[in-house]
Amino acid sequence: MRSPETDGRPSEAGRPSPGGGRTAAPRGPLPPLLAAVLLLGVAESMTGPYLVLFGSQRAHLTAFQIGTFVSATAVSGMAVSLWLGRRYDRAPGRWPALVAAAVAGTGYLLLTGATAYWSLLAVAVLFLGAGQAVFPQVFALSRSHLDGGSPMPASGTPVLRSAWSLAWAAGPVAGGALLAWRGFDALFPATALGFALTVVAVLCLPAPPPPAAPPASSAAAPPPAPAAGGSLAAAIGAFVLFHTAMYAGSVALPLYVTEELGRPASEVGLMFSVCALVEIPAALALVLLPGRARHGRLILLGMALLAGYLAVTAAATTVTALVLAQIARGVAIAVVGALGITYVQDRLPGAAGRATTLFANAATAGSLVSGVAAGATAQALGYRAALVGCAVLAALACVLFAFAGRGRTAQGGREGA
């Protein structure tokens, strides 16, 4: 993509250098962004599934203390992400991602020597939460390169989202192997190394270009109206409901399969593996969408797919049906995960940091609520009822997101009147 200032003129890459040759073409931002997403995803997924085991087996925490530790990490991550997102919008740069990754890596090194409950809480709040801010920062950098006219393809977000899915397909396996080898003394340093390599990848990324200046003809025009607050809030609420249903369904599914259907735990692993494998090509397929595609309609379809998947899962009694249903789940996660970021960024032009943080925090909020919601419903009504409840939440997400779309359309009509 070329900026308006360079159209019709030779680029810097094509001009002769003082020595008589030609200067090297500017390095594109996509390869280091891909590397950063892959490394970050592997680092997070290597440790994330096993933090609960660390709390119980090594730190000897109670179930309540483990829950507090995990929740403190998530809440701290939401606060740090929001703060760094606003800082990014004031002065776009690589430093928020670099600082967040470095602080998180330090936190995992500290876990190797911390077992007391209050010291673990301090590490969670002051260090580990920062790791959750790296993801929105990397996608904010991607958006800045796209908007700033550097050679960043418009399909960058789906490609990066597919890399994230690939990392989460490989990371837990690598983490399990490290645990079997030398336990947490190998897992946490390897996670810290992953964050350190993420820092290196971000350092290899070109600095984000400054925002493109508006055309001179529009200098006297009034500033564009901001996104309607109500419709944007409804969209974020829909994303929270979607992720609550998704995560709560992930909590209820293993218990439903093993305890209610009496199937072995290995079949649960098969289901999650199929879902992860489907996510990758589904996200890559979004690259083929035309530039003017209505992302809102596709996101609504993704939310409806999740609702349908959960309803089918609650009714299914065979492993074949449950495995095939994972295809719908994988497509839903890929579509909402990739296009949801772009959707919120489009609603908040010029605020890539805050927009990406809003979407990421919606997912974190959903994960925080999901465990309590799924556990309470399953204990009171059973695992099948918990899955039905998740389907209802996903359906409510569809309704709320459709309302957000209508609010946006109504705002556009008022502006054009």
Side-chain angles (χ1 to χ4, degrees):
M1 180 181 297
R2 294 181 297 169
S3 64
E5 291 78 12
T6 60
D7 284 347
R9 294 187 284 122
S11 66
E12 290 294 333
R15 293 177 182 171
S17 65
R22 292 184 179 272
T23 58
R27 183 181 53 189
L30 187 56
L33 281 170
L34 269 174
V37 169
L38 276 170
L39 291 166
L40 175 65
V42 170
E44 286 195 6
S45 61
M46 274 198 307
T47 301
Y50 306 108
L51 275 179
V52 172
L53 294 180
F54 167 76
S56 63
Q57 296 178 2
R58 180 156 173 172
H60 305 294
L61 304 180
T62 65
F64 176 78
Q65 289 175 328
I66 293 173
T68 304
F69 171 73
V70 173
S71 297
T73 303
V75 172
S76 170
M78 293 174 69
V80 173
S81 297
L82 188 59
W83 178 66
L84 288 180
R86 292 182 179 275
R87 297 285 296 180
Y88 182 93
D89 291 336
R90 293 174 190 167
R94 295 169 295 179
W95 72 265
L98 295 172
V99 170
V103 169
T106 303
Y108 282 104
L109 287 178
L110 291 175
L111 282 185
T112 59
T115 55
Y117 177 57
W118 291 109
S119 64
L120 288 175
L121 274 185
V123 171
V125 172
L126 300 177
F127 293 91
L128 299 187
Q132 296 184 22
V134 186
F135 177 89
Q137 284 295 318
V138 171
F139 278 84
L141 284 166
S142 171
R143 180 68 179 208
S144 292
H145 279 284
L146 174 61
D147 289 346
S150 64
M152 178 71 187
S155 58
T157 298
V159 173
L160 295 178
R161 190 57 180 77
S162 67
W164 183 257
S165 298
L166 176 61
W168 271 86
V173 177
L178 287 169
L179 271 179
W181 178 44
R182 290 193 177 179
F184 293 102
D185 289 331
L187 179 61
F188 289 150
T191 303
L193 176 61
F195 277 101
L197 292 175
T198 303
V199 168
V200 174
V202 174
L203 283 173
C204 292
L205 178 69
S217 60
S218 63
S231 63
L232 179 58
I236 297 301
F239 288 130
V240 172
L241 287 175
F242 173 86
H243 285 98
T244 302
M246 183 186 78
Y247 287 122
S250 298
V251 172
L253 178 64
L255 299 172
Y256 172 69
V257 171
T258 56
E259 297 191 16
E260 190 152 327
L261 299 184
R263 307 299 301 180
S266 59
E267 293 182 355
V268 177
L270 172 63
M271 295 173 197
F272 281 98
S273 296
V274 169
C275 177
L277 290 174
V278 169
E279 283 184 52
I280 300 170
L284 286 174
L286 298 175
V287 174
L288 304 177
L289 290 175
R292 296 182 178 273
R294 298 291 297 272
H295 289 172
R297 292 179 180 177
L298 290 171
I299 293 171
L300 190 59
L301 175 61
M303 292 180 173
L305 275 176
L306 183 72
Y309 150 75
L310 289 164
V312 168
T313 301
T317 56
T318 65
V319 174
T320 301
L322 290 170
V323 170
L324 290 177
Q326 296 299 318
I327 297 175
R329 179 172 180 257
V331 173
I333 294 172
V335 169
V336 177
L339 297 185
I341 295 174
T342 304
Y343 177 88
V344 182
Q345 288 175 338
D346 289 343
R347 298 296 303 273
L348 292 171
R354 187 161 64 98
T356 314
T357 298
L358 279 173
F359 181 84
N361 279 357
T364 304
S367 69
L368 274 174
V369 176
S370 63
V372 176
T377 306
Q379 184 171 342
L381 303 173
Y383 303 120
R384 191 186 298 271
L387 289 169
V388 172
C390 292
V392 172
L393 284 178
L396 288 175
C398 293
V399 174
L400 196 55
F401 193 79
F403 170 78
R406 287 187 177 183
R408 186 181 186 187
T409 301
Q411 183 201 24
R414 289 193 299 269
E415 291 172 0

